[in-house]
Amino acid sequence: MTKRTHITLVSTCILALSLLVMGCASTQPAPSATSQAEPEKDWMFHDIVTVDFVKSHVTVPKPDNVLLIDSRPKQAKYDKGHIPTAINIPDTQFEKMTNLLPADKSMLLIFYCEGPECKLSHKSAQKAEALGYKNVKVYMDGFPGWMKVPGHYAEVPVEFVKEAIDTKSEMVLVDSRPREGKYDQGHIPGAISIPDTHFDKMTNLLPVKKDMPLVFYCGGFDCKLSHKSAEKAIKLGYTQVKVFSAGYPAWQAVAEAPQKPAGDIKKGKLEGTMDIAQFDSLVKTAPSSVYLIDVRDADEFAKGSLKNAINIPVDKLEKQIKSVAADKPIIFICGTGARSGESYYMMKDLRPEVKEVYYLDVEMKIKPDGSYTVTVPK
């Protein structure tokens, strides 16, 4: 055998061996999509839907056979903007708000919250199933996912509009109803009239700045005019578009409601404090008549707080203080009266227009079930 023949034979053997190895490798099953996918988190609900599924059920008027439910906190999230037609049942208040769920256990329920890492909608969906609801879904991408889709906008409640007007926030409020017979007969203070049927001819009334907040409204939840105008504004390039779907009827209800006299709250001995006995009575009989703001840290709040209280830690209050609603008396609470007192004076300094604000100057211990004891400092 010559040297050249030997080299050729060796090369042939190596090539054959390589092909054999490749052939064996090719017979192995390819990794499945399931094995490559990120494993489901143990807290995830079992039935997840897409934004297209949600969008197919977001119609005006609201469909009778589906209920879209926002599981986020009301003031901190829902009131600032939510998916149109959604009602608010915060997961932390779920057991107390089951009256808002339909009597028909076969109705489609779609829960959502603040995105893929938010557990609130999953928890609420599980609770709804435990109550016997048979057609429950979770839109996992939540409100942030909804707003990422071009052309989508947020819906806001009457509390948002009233707060913006009371605090003179930068906003253009647009009445989409016909001018004669509607706008001229009564409208929300400060609103301009751009009837949807004349929208294209009146765009000169819209602000030059495309990032100016625009809020459209018309005749209530069944009125499509404000939604149509909002879509047109988005196509023109406006980036901060919202719809006040409850519209003028909801505003009338708020505007005509009797104002609660400031003297209803009995003051304590120190500036800004309120009477402890009255506080006890208020919490037991009419907790929704005031805003209870627990300014302790989140981990303290999680161990137990008063029912209806929301948590804004004192070190985060300054950044959120402009978003705190002020249409009802505000009462700050904590564990000793120190942080609640600091919150009171912060509110007085940064929002002097808010008159009905108080704090509790006591040592307060709150149990997980919401019961509490107070000790008056000597």
Side-chain angles (χ1 to χ4, degrees), residues 241-337:
V241 177
K242 294 179 173 63
V243 170
F244 170 36
S245 298
Y248 189 61
W251 175 262
Q252 283 183 298
V254 169
E256 294 171 3
Q259 297 297 310
K260 188 172 181 176
D264 276 7
I265 297 291
K266 185 178 179 181
K267 298 179 180 180
K269 295 180 180 180
L270 300 177
E271 179 188 25
T273 62
M274 72 170 294
D275 181 75
I276 297 169
Q278 190 195 29
F279 176 84
D280 286 332
S281 175
L282 239 166
V283 169
K284 294 174 182 176
T285 61
S288 61
S289 66
V290 296
Y291 289 126
L292 293 175
I293 303 180
D294 189 330
V295 292
R296 297 175 300 160
D297 291 344
D299 62 327
E300 296 172 278
F301 181 82
K303 293 176 182 177
S305 187
L306 302 186
K307 294 177 180 178
N308 290 357
I310 64 170
N311 182 220
I312 306 179
V314 66
D315 56 0
K316 297 180 180 180
L317 179 61
E318 185 172 350
K319 292 182 179 180
Q320 300 183 41
I321 203 161
K322 287 187 177 180
S323 67
V324 175
D327 55 315
K328 295 186 288 189
I330 298 168
I331 304 173
F332 292 109
I333 61 173
C334 66
T336 64

XYZ file of all heavy atoms in Angstrom, residues 241-337:
727
model
N -54.421 60.090 25.359
C -55.866 60.138 25.117
C -56.596 59.211 26.083
O -56.221 58.048 26.252
C -56.183 59.740 23.661
C -57.695 59.729 23.427
C -55.496 60.696 22.689
N -57.645 59.735 26.693
C -58.476 58.943 27.595
C -59.946 59.213 27.298
O -60.297 60.238 26.696
C -58.172 59.283 29.059
C -56.767 58.895 29.510
C -56.538 59.291 30.957
C -55.205 58.749 31.468
N -54.046 59.294 30.741
N -60.790 58.295 27.742
C -62.237 58.462 27.594
C -62.902 58.365 28.960
O -62.653 57.411 29.709
C -62.835 57.404 26.641
C -64.361 57.436 26.698
C -62.368 57.649 25.214
N -63.710 59.349 29.282
C -64.530 59.331 30.492
C -65.880 58.754 30.081
O -66.808 59.475 29.740
C -64.643 60.750 31.049
C -65.652 60.931 32.152
C -65.879 59.940 33.103
C -66.377 62.112 32.245
C -66.811 60.114 34.111
C -67.311 62.300 33.253
C -67.524 61.298 34.182
N -65.974 57.423 30.088
C -67.129 56.731 29.510
C -68.434 56.993 30.258
O -69.510 56.988 29.658
C -66.865 55.224 29.457
O -65.771 54.938 28.626
N -68.362 57.186 31.563
C -69.580 57.443 32.339
C -70.212 58.763 31.938
O -71.418 58.974 32.094
C -69.275 57.421 33.829
N -69.395 59.672 31.433
C -69.861 60.893 30.808
C -70.626 61.884 31.671
O -70.553 61.865 32.908
N -71.369 62.736 30.971
C -72.042 63.839 31.647
C -73.039 63.389 32.718
O -73.128 64.037 33.777
C -72.739 64.729 30.620
C -73.282 66.004 31.217
C -72.429 66.922 31.824
C -74.642 66.287 31.181
C -72.913 68.097 32.393
C -75.145 67.459 31.738
C -74.279 68.351 32.352
O -74.764 69.503 32.920
N -73.794 62.294 32.536
C -74.701 61.861 33.616
C -73.968 61.588 34.927
O -74.470 61.922 36.003
C -75.333 60.585 33.045
C -75.263 60.753 31.577
C -73.957 61.464 31.325
N -72.780 60.968 34.850
C -72.016 60.694 36.068
C -71.517 61.984 36.692
O -71.490 62.125 37.920
C -70.834 59.771 35.752
N -71.128 62.935 35.842
C -70.672 64.225 36.381
C -71.822 64.943 37.092
O -71.628 65.529 38.164
C -70.118 65.113 35.272
C -69.754 66.472 35.793
C -70.491 67.609 35.737
C -68.580 66.793 36.534
N -69.847 68.640 36.381
C -68.672 68.163 36.879
C -67.470 66.075 36.933
C -67.679 68.818 37.612
C -66.475 66.719 37.652
C -66.580 68.070 37.979
N -73.005 64.909 36.521
C -74.155 65.552 37.151
C -74.432 64.971 38.533
O -74.741 65.703 39.475
C -75.397 65.390 36.272
C -75.454 66.307 35.078
C -76.738 66.127 34.307
O -77.030 65.051 33.781
N -77.536 67.180 34.232
N -74.307 63.654 38.646
C -74.549 62.998 39.937
C -73.569 63.479 40.989
O -73.929 63.678 42.159
C -74.457 61.481 39.777
N -72.313 63.678 40.584
C -71.298 64.163 41.529
C -71.514 65.636 41.846
O -71.453 66.061 42.998
C -69.881 63.946 40.947
C -68.839 64.672 41.778
C -69.558 62.464 40.889
N -71.784 66.425 40.816
C -71.937 67.870 41.002
C -73.154 68.216 41.839
O -73.154 69.200 42.592
C -72.029 68.554 39.641
N -74.204 67.394 41.734
C -75.436 67.687 42.454
C -75.490 67.044 43.834
O -76.417 67.290 44.604
C -76.634 67.217 41.619
C -76.807 67.994 40.320
C -77.853 67.390 39.410
O -78.488 66.392 39.840
O -78.047 67.898 38.296
N -74.499 66.200 44.142
C -74.484 65.554 45.461
C -74.221 66.589 46.546
O -73.378 67.473 46.380
C -73.394 64.478 45.498
N -74.956 66.537 47.653
C -74.735 67.496 48.732
C -73.330 67.378 49.304
O -72.818 66.278 49.511
C -75.794 67.104 49.777
C -76.121 65.682 49.472
C -75.973 65.533 47.993
N -72.683 68.506 49.491
C -71.339 68.515 50.054
C -71.371 68.256 51.556
O -72.212 68.794 52.272
C -70.662 69.872 49.785
C -70.466 70.166 48.296
C -69.541 69.167 47.653
O -68.454 68.896 48.156
N -69.973 68.603 46.531
N -70.444 67.455 51.994
C -70.374 67.140 53.421
C -69.759 68.316 54.173
O -68.669 68.767 53.830
C -69.513 65.893 53.625
C -69.546 65.373 55.043
C -68.835 64.039 55.146
C -68.909 63.518 56.559
N -68.311 62.182 56.685
N -70.422 68.873 55.166
C -69.866 70.020 55.887
C -68.581 69.666 56.617
O -68.426 68.562 57.132
C -70.983 70.380 56.880
C -71.790 69.136 57.023
C -71.717 68.433 55.708
N -67.649 70.618 56.637
C -66.358 70.376 57.271
C -66.500 70.077 58.752
O -65.680 69.391 59.339
C -65.450 71.595 57.071
N -67.545 70.581 59.388
C -67.731 70.383 60.814
C -68.093 68.965 61.213
O -68.188 68.661 62.389
N -68.321 68.087 60.243
C -68.687 66.708 60.560
C -67.563 65.965 61.278
O -67.802 65.049 62.035
C -69.061 65.955 59.294
C -70.522 66.205 58.914
O -71.175 67.043 59.544
O -70.984 65.540 57.983
N -66.315 66.331 60.987
C -65.178 65.689 61.641
C -64.858 66.443 62.933
O -64.594 67.633 62.910
C -63.940 65.678 60.724
C -64.215 64.844 59.466
C -62.723 65.147 61.462
C -64.339 63.363 59.720
N -64.890 65.698 64.025
C -64.570 66.304 65.311
C -63.068 66.265 65.530
O -62.444 65.212 65.446
C -65.278 65.546 66.438
C -65.103 66.175 67.809
C -65.871 65.387 68.853
C -65.687 66.003 70.235
N -66.425 65.220 71.279
N -62.487 67.421 65.756
C -61.037 67.520 65.869
C -60.538 67.074 67.235
O -61.243 67.149 68.232
C -60.589 68.963 65.595
C -60.926 69.437 64.181
C -60.486 70.867 63.954
C -60.831 71.314 62.545
N -60.417 72.714 62.290
N -59.273 66.589 67.248
C -58.628 66.199 68.489
C -57.965 67.386 69.159
O -58.138 68.535 68.753
N -57.159 67.117 70.166
C -56.525 68.189 70.933
C -55.405 68.872 70.158
O -55.202 70.074 70.269
C -55.992 67.638 72.261
C -57.081 67.151 73.203
C -56.490 66.613 74.498
C -57.591 66.125 75.440
N -57.023 65.592 76.703
N -54.633 68.090 69.400
C -53.516 68.658 68.651
C -53.951 69.067 67.252
O -54.915 68.531 66.705
C -52.369 67.649 68.553
C -51.761 67.178 69.873
C -50.682 66.130 69.604
C -51.176 68.364 70.638
N -53.229 70.019 66.671
C -53.526 70.473 65.314
C -53.525 69.299 64.336
O -52.591 68.502 64.294
C -52.494 71.496 64.856
C -52.734 72.003 63.423
C -51.607 72.862 62.917
O -50.476 72.704 63.417
O -51.838 73.676 62.008
N -54.580 69.200 63.550
C -54.647 68.185 62.521
C -55.170 66.835 62.971
O -55.466 65.979 62.130
N -55.273 66.612 64.265
C -55.744 65.308 64.747
C -57.272 65.283 64.769
O -57.936 66.311 64.742
C -55.219 65.005 66.161
O -55.719 65.995 67.082
C -53.696 65.029 66.181
N -57.822 64.059 64.822
C -59.265 63.926 64.941
C -59.608 63.144 66.204
O -58.774 62.415 66.753
C -59.859 63.243 63.711
C -59.586 61.762 63.565
S -60.573 61.029 62.226
C -62.235 61.207 62.868
N -60.821 63.321 66.662
C -61.291 62.667 67.880
C -61.269 61.151 67.716
O -61.771 60.615 66.717
C -62.719 63.148 68.177
C -63.269 62.533 69.441
O -62.855 62.954 70.525
O -64.118 61.618 69.302
N -60.686 60.456 68.671
C -60.495 59.006 68.566
C -61.828 58.265 68.614
O -62.057 57.307 67.873
C -59.563 58.511 69.675
C -58.189 59.157 69.500
C -59.425 57.001 69.635
C -57.256 58.948 70.666
N -62.724 58.701 69.479
C -64.026 58.038 69.589
C -64.789 58.147 68.269
O -65.422 57.179 67.824
C -64.831 58.656 70.727
N -64.705 59.317 67.643
C -65.391 59.474 66.367
C -64.727 58.621 65.282
O -65.396 58.060 64.415
C -65.405 60.933 65.922
C -66.330 61.148 64.722
C -66.111 62.468 64.022
O -65.008 63.000 64.042
N -67.144 63.002 63.413
N -63.405 58.512 65.367
C -62.689 57.666 64.410
C -63.180 56.230 64.512
O -63.455 55.570 63.497
C -61.181 57.734 64.662
C -60.376 56.825 63.781
C -60.004 57.228 62.511
C -60.010 55.555 64.204
C -59.279 56.395 61.679
C -59.284 54.708 63.393
C -58.910 55.131 62.126
N -63.287 55.720 65.733
C -63.788 54.352 65.942
C -65.168 54.169 65.331
O -65.452 53.174 64.664
C -63.842 54.032 67.436
C -62.469 53.792 68.031
O -61.584 53.353 67.275
O -62.285 54.034 69.227
N -66.033 55.139 65.569
C -67.394 55.068 65.053
C -67.410 55.094 63.526
O -68.151 54.348 62.884
C -68.223 56.226 65.606
O -69.519 56.245 65.041
N -66.546 55.942 62.961
C -66.461 56.077 61.519
C -66.020 54.779 60.862
O -66.599 54.324 59.871
C -65.454 57.184 61.174
C -65.961 58.377 60.367
C -64.969 59.512 60.408
C -66.203 57.955 58.951
N -64.996 54.155 61.417
C -64.451 52.917 60.861
C -65.493 51.799 60.908
O -65.593 50.984 59.991
C -63.171 52.501 61.618
C -62.743 51.088 61.250
C -62.050 53.489 61.319
N -66.297 51.786 61.969
C -67.281 50.719 62.141
C -68.551 50.931 61.325
O -69.172 49.966 60.865
C -67.634 50.586 63.617
C -66.471 50.099 64.481
C -66.835 50.128 65.956
C -65.659 49.695 66.820
N -65.954 49.813 68.271
N -68.954 52.192 61.150
C -70.265 52.442 60.543
C -70.210 53.041 59.144
O -71.129 52.821 58.338
C -71.089 53.388 61.437
O -70.397 54.650 61.557
C -71.269 52.787 62.823
N -69.177 53.818 58.829
C -69.133 54.492 57.525
C -67.704 54.639 57.014
O -67.239 55.744 56.736
C -69.804 55.864 57.629
N -66.967 53.535 56.860
C -65.566 53.636 56.439
C -65.390 54.211 55.041
O -64.353 54.791 54.727
C -65.079 52.179 56.505
C -66.312 51.352 56.375
C -67.392 52.132 57.051
N -66.408 54.075 54.188
C -66.282 54.581 52.823
C -66.518 56.085 52.724
O -66.362 56.670 51.656
C -67.259 53.853 51.903
O -68.599 54.073 52.322
N -66.888 56.724 53.833
C -67.138 58.166 53.805
C -65.866 58.978 53.905
O -65.892 60.203 53.776
C -68.093 58.552 54.941
O -67.475 58.338 56.202
N -64.728 58.313 54.148
C -63.436 58.990 54.241
C -62.389 58.174 53.490
O -62.618 57.009 53.147
C -62.982 59.172 55.714
C -63.936 60.075 56.476
C -62.844 57.816 56.408
N -61.236 58.787 53.245
C -60.100 58.058 52.703
C -59.147 57.747 53.857
O -58.600 58.660 54.473
C -59.366 58.881 51.645
C -60.121 59.046 50.357
C -60.370 60.305 49.825
C -60.585 57.938 49.661
C -61.063 60.456 48.641
C -61.284 58.085 48.476
C -61.518 59.335 47.972
O -62.215 59.480 46.800
N -58.995 56.467 54.160
C -58.048 56.033 55.178
C -56.741 55.686 54.491
O -56.692 54.766 53.663
C -58.586 54.819 55.933
C -59.823 55.037 56.805
C -60.297 53.701 57.377
C -59.528 56.004 57.932
N -55.685 56.400 54.818
C -54.385 56.159 54.185
C -53.393 55.701 55.250
O -53.037 56.451 56.154
C -53.860 57.417 53.468
C -54.885 57.890 52.430
C -52.528 57.116 52.796
C -54.465 59.132 51.671
N -52.985 54.450 55.146
C -52.022 53.847 56.065
C -50.619 54.152 55.529
O -50.241 53.680 54.457
C -52.264 52.337 56.135
C -51.454 51.670 57.236
O -50.354 52.145 57.560
O -51.935 50.647 57.752
N -49.841 54.934 56.273
C -48.536 55.382 55.778
C -47.385 54.568 56.347
O -46.229 54.984 56.298
C -48.329 56.890 56.058
C -49.279 57.720 55.223
C -48.503 57.216 57.542
N -47.680 53.394 56.904
C -46.616 52.495 57.342
C -45.954 51.839 56.137
O -46.451 51.922 55.013
C -47.183 51.420 58.274
C -47.775 51.959 59.573
C -48.410 50.828 60.370
N -49.483 50.181 59.605
C -49.955 48.966 59.866
N -49.436 48.245 60.844
N -50.935 48.460 59.142
N -44.848 51.169 56.358
C -44.172 50.457 55.278
C -45.045 49.320 54.758
O -45.925 48.819 55.467
C -42.830 49.904 55.752
C -41.817 51.006 56.015
O -42.030 52.137 55.557
O -40.804 50.725 56.682
N -44.769 48.898 53.542
C -45.590 47.879 52.889
C -45.616 46.569 53.668
O -46.652 45.892 53.739
C -45.092 47.642 51.468
N -44.477 46.182 54.263
C -44.453 44.920 55.014
C -45.296 44.991 56.275
O -45.907 44.000 56.687
C -43.006 44.516 55.354
C -42.312 45.535 56.230
O -42.609 46.747 56.082
O -41.473 45.143 57.063
N -45.383 46.171 56.887
C -46.245 46.340 58.063
C -47.714 46.271 57.643
O -48.539 45.645 58.309
C -45.961 47.685 58.732
C -44.563 47.826 59.306
C -44.293 49.242 59.785
O -43.959 50.101 58.946
O -44.448 49.480 60.987
N -48.011 46.943 56.533
C -49.384 46.966 56.019
C -49.859 45.559 55.682
O -51.013 45.197 55.935
C -49.441 47.863 54.781
C -50.807 48.001 54.172
C -51.733 48.904 54.692
C -51.178 47.251 53.072
C -53.001 49.039 54.137
C -52.440 47.369 52.499
C -53.346 48.276 53.044
N -48.944 44.745 55.117
C -49.299 43.388 54.702
C -49.677 42.502 55.884
O -50.433 41.536 55.742
C -48.153 42.761 53.924
N -49.168 42.828 57.055
C -49.455 42.013 58.238
C -50.818 42.331 58.840
O -51.296 41.620 59.719
C -48.365 42.223 59.286
C -46.997 41.685 58.859
C -45.938 41.996 59.896
C -44.560 41.507 59.448
N -43.504 41.867 60.423
N -51.442 43.396 58.372
C -52.767 43.755 58.871
C -52.999 45.249 58.795
O -52.128 46.033 59.190
N -54.146 45.634 58.270
C -54.518 47.044 58.254
C -56.032 47.156 58.298
O -56.740 46.144 58.202
C -53.969 47.750 57.023
O -54.199 49.149 57.111
N -56.505 48.376 58.442
C -57.942 48.592 58.520
C -58.591 48.324 57.169
O -58.002 48.596 56.118
C -58.234 50.035 58.951
C -57.636 50.488 60.281
C -58.128 51.878 60.634
C -58.016 49.522 61.395
N -59.785 47.788 57.206
C -60.525 47.559 55.981
C -60.801 48.902 55.309
O -61.104 49.886 55.974
C -61.834 46.823 56.281
C -61.607 45.404 56.812
C -62.902 44.721 57.159
C -62.637 43.308 57.696
N -63.875 42.621 58.096
N -60.692 48.924 53.996
C -60.866 50.121 53.163
C -59.655 51.040 53.164
O -59.644 52.039 52.452
C -62.112 50.932 53.548
C -63.393 50.225 53.180
O -63.375 49.164 52.594
N -64.518 50.814 53.519
N -58.626 50.741 53.975
C -57.434 51.579 53.972
C -56.560 51.241 52.777
O -56.500 50.092 52.338
C -56.642 51.377 55.264
N -55.901 52.263 52.233
C -54.915 52.034 51.185
C -53.540 52.326 51.766
O -53.410 53.041 52.764
C -55.171 52.915 49.945
C -55.024 54.408 50.300
C -56.527 52.624 49.353
C -55.035 55.305 49.090
N -52.522 51.759 51.157
C -51.168 51.893 51.684
C -50.315 52.796 50.794
O -50.100 52.513 49.620
C -50.511 50.504 51.782
C -49.115 50.544 52.360
O -48.222 49.831 51.889
N -48.893 51.349 53.372
N -49.879 53.916 51.360
C -48.889 54.781 50.717
C -47.824 55.075 51.777
O -48.026 55.951 52.623
C -49.495 56.101 50.205
C -50.697 55.849 49.288
C -48.428 56.911 49.461
C -51.349 57.115 48.777
N -46.718 54.339 51.805
C -45.675 54.588 52.806
C -45.252 56.044 52.807
O -45.194 56.683 51.745
C -44.535 53.664 52.367
C -45.227 52.561 51.647
C -46.378 53.220 50.924
N -44.960 56.577 53.976
C -44.672 58.000 54.104
C -43.494 58.428 53.236
O -43.472 59.550 52.715
C -44.428 58.375 55.588
C -43.165 57.710 56.126
C -44.371 59.888 55.766
N -42.516 57.536 53.030
C -41.372 57.919 52.211
C -41.686 57.923 50.716
O -40.852 58.313 49.904
C -40.162 57.021 52.495
C -40.457 55.542 52.300
O -41.601 55.203 51.944
O -39.546 54.721 52.499
N -42.893 57.479 50.340
C -43.309 57.522 48.946
C -44.458 58.501 48.727
O -44.907 58.710 47.599
C -43.726 56.126 48.476
C -42.590 55.102 48.506
C -43.063 53.737 48.019
C -41.926 52.730 48.050
N -42.366 51.388 47.590
N -44.946 59.079 49.805
C -46.133 59.930 49.729
C -45.897 61.177 48.887
O -46.773 61.587 48.120
C -46.588 60.323 51.135
C -47.818 61.234 51.220
C -49.034 60.549 50.596
C -48.111 61.591 52.677
N -44.737 61.793 49.012
C -44.486 63.045 48.290
C -44.642 62.875 46.782
O -45.203 63.721 46.099
C -43.094 63.580 48.614
C -42.817 64.951 47.983
C -41.516 65.553 48.461
O -40.925 65.010 49.408
O -41.090 66.571 47.874
N -44.151 61.730 46.262
C -44.241 61.493 44.821
C -45.672 61.207 44.376
O -46.024 61.445 43.224
C -43.334 60.330 44.434
C -41.850 60.629 44.572
C -41.022 59.446 44.112
C -39.531 59.746 44.224
N -38.695 58.591 43.782
N -46.503 60.680 45.289
C -47.861 60.296 44.922
C -48.921 61.272 45.400
O -50.109 61.080 45.127
C -48.177 58.906 45.494
C -47.259 57.803 45.006
C -47.665 56.439 45.548
O -48.836 56.101 45.626
N -46.682 55.643 45.943
N -48.486 62.312 46.085
C -49.451 63.147 46.821
C -50.442 63.868 45.896
O -51.594 64.090 46.262
C -48.704 64.148 47.726
C -49.622 64.585 48.875
C -48.177 65.343 46.942
C -48.886 65.171 50.046
N -50.017 64.195 44.684
C -50.928 64.889 43.778
C -52.040 63.971 43.265
O -53.079 64.444 42.807
C -50.145 65.469 42.599
C -49.292 66.674 42.969
C -48.669 67.307 41.732
C -47.875 68.541 42.109
N -47.253 69.183 40.911
N -51.809 62.664 43.332
C -52.812 61.720 42.835
C -53.809 61.292 43.901
O -54.758 60.569 43.613
C -52.116 60.470 42.271
O -51.474 59.746 43.300
N -53.603 61.743 45.150
C -54.523 61.377 46.229
C -55.831 62.148 46.068
O -55.838 63.373 46.024
C -53.899 61.679 47.611
C -54.910 61.401 48.725
C -52.637 60.853 47.822
N -56.917 61.422 45.936
C -58.223 62.064 45.775
C -58.587 62.845 47.027
O -58.207 62.479 48.141
C -59.286 61.013 45.474
N -59.320 63.946 46.833
C -59.641 64.810 47.964
C -61.120 65.163 48.034
O -61.493 66.166 48.645
C -58.804 66.095 47.886
N -61.966 64.328 47.407
C -63.396 64.619 47.431
C -64.070 64.140 48.718
O -65.255 64.378 48.935
C -64.094 64.000 46.220
C -63.839 62.507 46.113
O -62.679 62.092 46.272
O -64.804 61.761 45.874
N -63.299 63.446 49.574
C -63.766 63.046 50.899
C -62.661 63.362 51.906
O -61.502 63.513 51.518
C -64.080 61.542 50.918
C -65.227 61.132 50.021
C -65.583 59.656 50.192
C -64.535 58.754 49.595
N -64.971 57.323 49.564
N -62.993 63.469 53.183
C -61.943 63.722 54.184
C -60.861 62.656 54.146
O -61.139 61.470 53.951
C -62.713 63.688 55.508
C -64.114 64.054 55.149
C -64.346 63.461 53.793
N -59.617 63.079 54.313
C -58.465 62.184 54.316
C -57.987 62.000 55.751
O -57.805 62.990 56.484
C -57.320 62.765 53.463
C -57.768 62.899 52.006
C -56.063 61.902 53.569
C -56.825 63.722 51.156
N -57.771 60.760 56.154
C -57.255 60.471 57.502
C -56.017 59.596 57.365
O -56.081 58.494 56.828
C -58.303 59.756 58.376
C -59.592 60.581 58.465
C -57.745 59.501 59.777
C -60.737 59.856 59.165
N -54.881 60.096 57.838
C -53.641 59.331 57.825
C -53.520 58.535 59.128
O -53.801 59.055 60.210
C -52.436 60.255 57.685
C -52.327 60.939 56.354
C -52.563 62.301 56.233
C -51.990 60.216 55.216
C -52.459 62.929 54.998
C -51.893 60.834 53.974
C -52.123 62.188 53.871
N -53.088 57.284 59.005
C -52.876 56.449 60.187
C -51.516 55.760 60.082
O -50.998 55.549 58.977
C -53.984 55.377 60.352
C -54.016 54.434 59.137
C -55.342 56.023 60.569
C -54.953 53.248 59.293
N -50.958 55.407 61.220
C -49.728 54.609 61.258
C -49.728 53.828 62.571
O -50.790 53.513 63.111
C -48.486 55.489 61.097
S -48.193 56.636 62.463
N -48.557 53.536 63.105
C -48.500 52.753 64.338
C -48.327 53.572 65.598
O -48.668 53.113 66.693
N -47.823 54.802 65.436
C -47.532 55.617 66.635
C -48.046 57.037 66.548
O -48.062 57.740 67.552
C -46.006 55.681 66.864
O -45.395 56.364 65.754
C -45.410 54.289 67.026
N -48.430 57.481 65.369
C -48.831 58.873 65.180
C -47.716 59.717 64.598
O -47.956 60.850 64.159
